[in-house]
Amino acid sequence: MTTKKALTIAGSDSGGGAGIQADIKTFQELDVFGMSALTAVTAQNTLGVQAVFPMNADAVKQQIDSIGKDMGTEAVKTGMLFNAEIIQVVSEKIKQYKWKNVVVDPVMIAKGGASLLEREATSALKQYLLPVALVVTPNIPEAEVLTGVSIQTITDKEKAAMILYELGAKYVVLKGGHDEDPEKSVDLLYDGTEFNYFQSQRLQTKNTHGTGCTFSAAITAELAKGSNVYQAVAKAKEFIQVAIQEELVVGNGHGPTNHWAYNRLRSQDLHGENR
Ligand code: PXL
């Protein structure tokens, strides 16, 4: 059997819950070989981001070349890219290596408010990265910044998704995690023609650090294995739901999600341990 591989181009979270660390853990749990190109190093824990050290764009370029020239990859995910120069390099390399399964998580701001993308880099993200994206996975605040639409209603969500599609992403997954609804979270998937809704029960917890990274990494892993976007999003939704539900006790602030949960629950089901 050939090994399926996925590359994450993102920032490091020293606390292990988000960024590169969340991506690699998710790839591993979903049986995909994980590789990385670091764009920044954050000093971070569950209490917040203490410092951000961006990589030089040439270092990002060379990491991607190292992978592109030897190993190749079945799918790519981008996370924290920090500045316009890094965005341009990443977009050029994706085109050069003709990578098609590209998931763009347009990371902008960490939970505590720390900036993970320079304000003036938003237009570079729209101009260079969305045109090479198969899937873009904004949360509501990110979609608002990218589209200028203030999102309150379902119609607003659909309008924002259409704008993101027009900017070049072939599929738009607008995540409902920041919705006001106390009962449920509804994600919208738009493919240029139809609006599909994925609904899940909203879980009450403060341990949601890295949720967005984990969700988009799971989509990437599923694409690497040959799933289509609908299957990949549905599986990623299951993966993140149990990762939030099966809480870990790590740190004193917003703890990480549980990357083991999906497989642990599945193995319990298989072995009848929870009957
Ligand atoms: O969840 C967004 C995110 C992405 N990448 C890094 C992060 C965070 C959030 O804190 O630290 C490195």
Side-chain angles (χ1 to χ4, degrees):
M1 197 187 78
T2 56
T3 301
K4 300 301 183 194
K5 305 174 286 319
L7 165 64
T8 169
I9 305 172
S12 165
D13 168 6
S14 54
I20 290 273
Q21 288 79 359
D23 296 342
I24 301 266
K25 290 174 190 182
T26 304
F27 295 162
Q28 182 75 15
E29 288 294 315
L30 292 171
D31 294 325
V32 169
F33 182 80
M35 303 170 291
S36 61
L38 252 72
T39 56
V41 171
T42 69
Q44 185 172 182
N45 52 29
T46 66
L47 301 173
V49 177
Q50 287 81 45
V52 174
F53 305 92
M55 301 289 293
N56 145 331
D58 196 47
V60 178
K61 187 190 279 179
Q62 292 199 36
Q63 292 174 82
I64 301 175
D65 276 335
S66 294
I67 290 152
K69 287 181 177 159
D70 174 32
M71 308 156 88
T73 189
E74 278 69 46
V76 181
K77 175 198 148 160
T78 68
M80 170 184 182
L81 296 175
F82 196 69
N83 64 31
E85 213 185 338
I86 295 177
I87 290 173
Q88 279 195 38
V89 160
V90 170
S91 152
E92 276 164 26
K93 290 291 158 189
I94 287 172
K95 282 190 260 182
Q96 179 186 333
Y97 292 108
K98 302 188 167 53
W99 287 329
K100 300 292 176 223
N101 284 330
V102 178
V103 178
V104 172
D105 189 21
V107 171
M108 293 180 185
I109 298 168
K111 206 161 265 98
S115 177
L116 303 176
L117 180 74
E118 289 177 351
R119 193 106 200 121
E120 57 277 18
T122 310
S123 59
L125 211 151
K126 289 201 269 190
Q127 186 179 346
Y128 299 107
L129 213 53
L130 292 188
V132 297
L134 176 66
V135 188
V136 65
T137 59
N139 59 29
I140 290 172
E142 289 158 356
E144 289 185 328
V145 170
L146 290 170
T147 64
V149 176
S150 159
I151 301 175
Q152 258 101 41
T153 64
I154 294 208
T155 315
D156 299 336
K157 282 189 186 176
E158 293 183 347
K159 191 168 154 198
M162 284 163 78
I163 295 174
L164 291 165
Y165 178 83
E166 290 303 323
L167 286 166
K170 293 177 189 63
Y171 294 84
V172 178
V173 179
L174 180 43
K175 299 174 289 187
H178 290 71
D179 263 341
E180 306 276 288
D181 193 323
E183 299 291 324
K184 56 186 193 302
S185 166
V186 182
D187 296 343
L188 165 61
L189 168 59
Y190 180 58
D191 58 11
T193 320
E194 280 184 23
F195 297 102
N196 299 273
Y197 292 93
F198 292 79
Q199 185 173 318
S200 53
Q201 184 199 347
R202 183 173 293 280
L203 301 165
Q204 297 307 329
T205 172
K206 66 178 170 63
N207 297 326
T208 55
H209 175 59
T211 304
C213 303
T214 302
F215 177 67
S216 54
I219 296 176
T220 311
E222 291 307 302
L223 293 174
K225 290 186 288 187
S227 293
N228 66 36
V229 173
Y230 306 94
Q231 294 164 332
V233 170
K235 175 94 165 241
K237 191 89 183 136
E238 278 179 47
F239 189 94
I240 193 59
Q241 189 73 10
V242 292
I244 299 171
Q245 180 188 306
E246 303 293 307
E247 283 185 272
L248 297 175
V249 183
V250 176
N252 298 295
H254 289 287
T257 69
N258 182 347
H259 296 100
W260 293 298
Y262 182 81
N263 283 323
R264 285 191 177 163
L265 289 176
R266 213 171 46 162
S267 117
Q268 279 175 16
D269 279 347
L270 288 174
H271 299 104
E273 285 166 29
N274 61 348
R275 271 181 225 141

